Amino acid sequence: MAEYKLVGISGSLRKQSYNTVLLHEAARLFDPAEFTLADLRLPLYDQDLEEAEGIPTAVQQLSDQIAAADAVVIAGPEYNKSVTGVLKNALDWVSRTGNPWADKPVALASATAGRAGGERMQFALRLCMMPFRPRLLQGPEVLVGQAADQFDANGRLTNQINHDALVELMTALKAEIGRAA
């Protein structure tokens, strides 16, 4: 039986996204939890659209998933030294629904084709998350570089350093649930 509700947000829409694989591995290591992988296939944020039609159903669903979660894990690749457009768009839309992030335990991870593993993306994402006031874990950093070579056929991390860092991050995220801010 699931003890917690964990939401995973992947900054990549690609079917074979290493970040989505990393989120599933994080959920496996976080266990027990009811895991929901968020869908970021949202319209581009447009204030005219919001004023004409209100908050899109998919955006409200994402906001509700975040609000109902005990904790959130965000994983994304680094695009042009920052967060992906799809992830930033989701943050912008969700900000229009109120603040489901307030005091929410949040962990960051990244997987990239390059060797740095998404370090600049995580730095930029921390800046993007600051206005929402989540309880953003400061570490350990999970930076999976050269991601094509870091997972086995079952989506398990094969690099012991990455695996151990993800175990430590999920343990810290679980411990953060229920702590006073």
Side-chain angles (χ1 to χ4, degrees):
M1 178 173 210
E3 188 172 334
Y4 300 111
K5 288 185 180 181
L6 180 66
V7 169
I9 298 177
S10 177
S12 174
L13 299 177
R14 193 170 61 85
K15 282 184 184 180
Q16 301 300 319
S17 164
Y18 298 119
N19 286 282
T20 302
V21 172
L22 183 59
L23 286 171
H24 284 286
E25 179 72 336
R28 183 182 74 79
L29 295 171
F30 186 91
D31 193 54
E34 175 187 321
F35 178 67
T36 301
L37 181 62
D39 183 0
L40 298 192
R41 293 184 188 280
L42 309 172
L44 290 175
Y45 177 73
D46 177 348
Q47 189 173 1
D48 291 336
L49 173 67
E50 180 185 8
E51 289 174 2
E53 301 177 23
I55 301 295
T57 302
V59 171
Q60 190 60 57
Q61 179 180 0
L62 174 59
S63 179
D64 292 346
Q65 288 170 336
I66 294 166
D70 294 301
V72 178
V73 182
I74 304 173
E78 184 175 301
Y79 282 11
N80 300 311
K81 303 182 189 318
S82 192
V83 299
T84 63
V86 69
L87 183 53
K88 181 64 169 79
N89 184 58
L91 295 175
D92 291 343
W93 263 122
V94 168
S95 75
R96 306 301 293 174
T97 68
N99 189 7
W101 298 104
D103 204 34
K104 183 77 55 184
V106 176
L108 306 181
S110 52
T112 64
R115 64 182 189 272
E119 187 172 21
R120 290 175 288 203
M121 183 287 296
Q122 287 192 31
F123 179 79
L125 183 55
R126 287 179 188 285
L127 293 176
C128 291
M129 296 295 293
M130 280 178 48
F132 308 133
R133 298 176 326 277
R135 288 189 318 215
L136 198 55
L137 272 63
Q138 297 305 306
E141 290 182 313
V142 176
L143 304 163
V144 181
Q146 300 175 327
D149 301 324
Q150 303 303 316
F151 297 95
D152 67 18
N154 296 315
R156 306 291 187 259
L157 282 166
T158 57
N159 178 298
Q160 195 63 46
I161 292 170
N162 291 332
H163 176 271
D164 292 349
L166 188 58
V167 167
E168 187 177 344
L169 183 64
M170 291 302 95
T171 300
L173 184 61
K174 194 178 283 188
E176 190 63 27
I177 295 171
R179 283 192 183 156

